[in-house]
Amino acid sequence: NAGVTQTPKFRILKIGQSMTLQCAQDMNHNYMYWYRQDPGMGLKLIYYSVGAGITDKGEVPNGYNVSRSTTEDFPLRLELAAPSQTSVYFCASSLQDRPNQPQHFGDGTRLSIL
Amino acid sequence: LAKTTQPISMDSYEGQEVNITCSHNNIATNDYITWYQQFPSQGPRFIIQGYKTKVTNEVASLFIPADRKSSTLSLPRVSLSDTAVYYCLVVERDDKIIFGKGTRLHILP
């Protein structure tokens, strides 16, 4: 199994550009999450999904959008990139019928906005 | 939002036992406490999870007092490869998932 796969691994954007960070998992997990991690800081939850067609905001959702059309995929969209969105983005998934089950993380996407 | 509290950093020597404590005053009644390890340029990796008293696996032990307002991760006989950031994770009462700020553990030879 590949686990949680994130693409791309690195990306540089100009201010105002848009892009989609891809996340896919092959473990049939129902929950999926997007986090951002700024240098030297902990992870902050952006959005999460408890199943296909269901998404909810986390701690820092402003400037981002998500969708969950399938169980496997959970893309994160930046519509108007801003320097404050320079960060490392991690996608995670978990199999659970209640929160706080162990999460499986991808290797991250390092995004720079210039 | 209530938050978890951990020491910012800790140093220890190879072969020592390391204990990292996390405070979580507003933990919900039915929620579990989970600890993760993160190496540079990698996503966090699950270490251990518990609800109360003591849990032990092949890499760590987790101690949780009766009031569950804190937890202590115990790493026995650490090595240089245990140098990492350690996070505790609980679900707050409004179901927001919040990582602690993490503890940077530095193991010295």
Side-chain angles (χ1 to χ4, degrees):
Chain A
N1 287 341
V4 178
T5 302
Q6 292 185 238
T7 56
K9 295 188 183 302
F10 305 94
R11 184 74 184 269
I12 298 174
L13 285 181
K14 295 182 179 179
I15 296 172
Q17 286 186 319
S18 62
M19 78 163 293
T20 299
L21 281 65
Q22 301 292 343
C23 175
Q25 53 92 8
D26 60 0
M27 298 174 282
N28 202 30
H29 285 174
N30 51 344
Y31 277 53
M32 295 188 74
Y33 314 82
W34 273 107
Y35 296 89
R36 61 176 287 173
Q37 186 174 34
D38 298 331
M41 304 296 287
L43 283 77
K44 293 185 177 181
L45 182 66
I46 304 171
Y47 271 97
Y48 66 104
S49 169
V50 303
I54 306 170
T55 62
D56 205 352
K57 296 179 180 179
E59 186 182 5
V60 289
N62 292 342
Y64 307 94
N65 283 299
V66 294
S67 59
R68 184 95 181 270
S69 57
T70 66
T71 298
E72 296 78 17
D73 300 300
F74 190 41
L76 177 71
R77 178 82 176 166
L78 283 70
E79 291 292 351
L80 291 171
S84 61
Q85 294 177 306
T86 293
S87 191
V88 180
Y89 292 83
F90 289 102
C91 179
S93 70
S94 64
L95 178 65
Q96 59 184 303
D97 56 6
R98 59 176 172 81
N100 212 28
Q101 287 295 302
Q103 297 179 26
H104 300 254
F105 285 81
D107 291 332
T109 294
R110 189 175 299 274
L111 181 63
S112 295
I113 313 298
L114 304 176
Chain B
L1 292 176
K3 297 186 184 295
T4 57
T5 303
Q6 301 175 237
I8 294 174
S9 64
M10 296 179 65
D11 290 340
S12 187
Y13 292 93
E14 281 192 293
Q16 298 293 309
E17 178 185 78
V18 173
N19 296 311
I20 307 173
T21 298
C22 177
S23 298
H24 27 78
N25 291 323
N26 290 341
I27 187 170
T29 302
N30 296 324
D31 293 322
Y32 282 62
I33 299 153
T34 309
W35 284 78
Y36 289 83
Q37 175 191 56
Q38 186 180 26
F39 297 112
S41 301
Q42 295 185 22
R45 182 176 70 96
F46 170 77
I47 301 175
I48 196 167
Q49 184 180 71
Y51 182 79
K52 63 180 179 181
T53 62
K54 178 183 176 181
V55 179
T56 297
N57 63 20
E58 63 276 10
V59 298
S61 294
L62 180 59
F63 299 91
I64 305 169
D67 65 6
R68 302 195 340 115
K69 293 185 182 299
S70 66
S71 58
T72 297
L73 174 72
S74 180
L75 304 172
R77 296 181 297 281
V78 294
S79 64
L80 295 176
S81 63
D82 292 316
T83 293
V85 180
Y86 292 82
Y87 297 95
C88 73
L89 175 61
V90 298
V91 175
E92 303 294 338
R93 287 184 173 172
D94 59 356
D95 287 337
K96 299 296 187 187
I97 302 169
I98 304 291
F99 270 78
K101 293 190 180 298
T103 297
R104 293 183 179 279
L105 177 63
H106 186 204
I107 305 302
L108 304 168

